[in-house]
Amino acid sequence: MTATVLDRLIDDFLYFLRVEKGLSPATLEAYSRDLQRHGAFLRQQGLTGLQSVDPALLVTFFAALRHEGLGVRSRVRLLAALRGFYRFAVDQRQLTENPLLLLDSPRLLQTLPGCLSPAEVDRLLQVRGQDCLLDQRDQTMLELLYASGLRVSELVGLRCSDYQATTGMVRVMGKGSRQRLVPVGEPAQDCLRHYLAQVRPQLLSDADSPALFLSRRGRGLTRQGFWLMIKRRARQAGLTQTITPHTLRHSFATHLLENGADLRVVQMLLGHADITTTQIYTHVSREHLQRVHERFHPRP
């Protein structure tokens, strides 16, 4: 097999580490494995060099490593190898800029929250309590969270004026004081209409709060209170994995992508300022596409 530009660059970098940096054989072997793993990923993307490598592709690579079960320590070492490799590529004028400089380590090394299947989401949303006011409020919040993909801070921060019943949209104040409009499906809208007409007025009592979702004392809810509620409901639904509010946000994004939503649209709905943040969800979508291909293609 003819060596590609990428193969030759990896060999040159390992030679540099051995001769110029004097790294031990064990460290060189580990770096070689890491770089070959990265090279194999790039070749799967149809690349033989580095010119088309961008931050989004690197985020996808590390997301795939997490999904494969590679531990944090191994990913930290691999990240160190790639930092040196991409610096070397710039020095050798194989790249004009280092794509890793545009990404911070926590973003690459963070663990994605778990994702529920649509059936598991249904089980969570179908949990019913004693049909008291708080149970109806909780049901509305869960329906809205899955329908919109909001962050928990955005959910508990909603004001009554943020829900636009005529258009079926909610106005959200996201990170960096950026506003966005997010559409809400019919099940969540039905819950919101009932909550606003029948539940919230009773929770409000004599208090005067602009918050959409209220506590039993008529005040705005806290993130901690919502976390406890969703964990309790997950137990009632028989879900054994750890469920957090972000699990529903992650499930929202994943299910949209699996059903053909455009990545840019999902970016807007989630309120991500950078498309590379949304890119971490695409490895799940690619898995779904692979399963569909293997199931239906005559020669999988």
Side-chain angles (χ1 to χ4, degrees):
M1 181 182 296
T2 304
T4 64
V5 173
L6 178 59
D7 294 326
R8 290 193 294 270
L9 190 61
I10 289 175
D11 288 341
D12 290 345
F13 178 59
L14 292 173
Y15 178 82
F16 167 77
L17 293 179
R18 184 175 72 252
V19 175
E20 300 291 336
K21 296 296 184 180
L23 296 188
S24 69
T27 302
L28 285 170
E29 184 179 352
Y31 269 47
S32 178
R33 285 197 305 268
D34 291 339
L35 292 171
Q36 293 301 333
R37 188 170 197 162
H38 185 56
F41 170 81
L42 296 181
R43 283 188 286 272
Q44 289 173 0
Q45 313 305 310
L47 304 181
T48 57
L50 300 179
Q51 295 302 324
S52 297
V53 175
D54 59 14
L57 190 61
L58 292 170
V59 170
T60 301
F61 172 61
F62 276 89
L65 295 178
R66 287 194 300 270
H67 186 66
E68 291 168 9
L70 190 67
V72 173
R73 290 181 64 182
S74 296
R75 283 184 275 131
V76 168
R77 187 197 64 224
L78 200 153
L79 178 57
L82 289 189
R83 288 199 186 282
F85 177 63
Y86 278 100
R87 281 197 303 268
F88 179 78
V90 172
D91 291 341
Q92 297 298 306
R93 298 181 180 174
Q94 296 296 318
L95 283 174
T96 56
E97 62 179 15
N98 184 345
L100 270 174
L101 293 180
L102 303 177
L103 295 173
D104 58 318
S105 299
R107 176 179 293 179
L108 292 176
L109 299 176
Q110 68 185 334
T111 301
L112 282 174
C115 176
L116 299 177
S117 68
E120 289 171 330
V121 172
D122 286 341
R123 283 168 56 188
L124 180 64
L125 296 180
Q126 287 170 7
V127 169
R128 294 293 184 269
Q130 301 176 350
D131 203 30
C132 67
L133 296 178
L134 297 183
D135 282 327
Q136 294 176 61
R137 178 206 65 193
D138 295 345
Q139 182 69 26
T140 303
M141 296 184 75
L142 286 174
E143 286 280 2
L144 180 57
L145 188 63
Y146 179 61
S148 59
L150 300 185
R151 301 176 178 93
V152 63
S153 57
E154 295 170 345
L155 180 72
V156 299
L158 288 175
R159 302 160 72 95
C160 288
S161 57
D162 291 328
Y163 174 55
Q164 303 175 0
T166 55
T167 61
M169 310 275 279
V170 289
R171 183 177 61 244
V172 183
M173 180 65 74
K175 289 185 177 180
S177 298
R178 292 186 298 270
Q179 285 194 8
R180 68 186 190 277
L181 286 174
V182 181
V184 178
E186 282 299 328
Q189 288 191 60
D190 289 342
C191 284
L192 278 167
R193 282 191 286 266
H194 173 74
Y195 170 78
L196 287 169
Q198 304 294 330
V199 178
R200 189 180 183 278
Q202 297 184 65
L203 290 176
L204 188 60
S205 185
D206 294 329
D208 182 20
S209 172
L212 176 58
F213 295 111
L214 302 174
S215 68
R216 66 173 71 250
R217 297 182 179 179
R219 300 171 184 169
L221 289 175
T222 65
R223 293 182 298 172
Q224 292 79 4
F226 186 78
W227 274 62
L228 292 174
M229 180 274 289
I230 198 172
K231 288 184 177 181
R232 182 181 71 251
R233 290 217 167 197
R235 288 195 301 269
Q236 293 173 326
L239 301 175
T240 57
Q241 64 266 55
T242 301
I243 307 295
T244 70
H246 207 71
T247 305
L248 281 182
R249 176 171 162 88
H250 182 48
S251 302
F252 162 84
T254 301
H255 297 166
L256 283 177
L257 288 168
E258 286 185 348
N259 285 286
D262 181 83
L263 188 65
R264 289 286 183 184
V265 173
V266 177
Q267 176 193 3
M268 293 174 62
L269 293 174
L270 292 175
H272 287 160
D274 192 334
I275 190 67
T276 60
T277 307
T278 318
Q279 190 86 17
I280 63 176
Y281 293 100
T282 59
H283 73 284
V284 181
S285 180
R286 285 197 302 276
E287 273 196 348
H288 172 73
L289 293 176
Q290 185 175 9
R291 289 196 300 269
V292 171
H293 181 273
E294 291 174 350
R295 180 179 178 186
F296 294 108
H297 196 278
R299 294 177 64 86

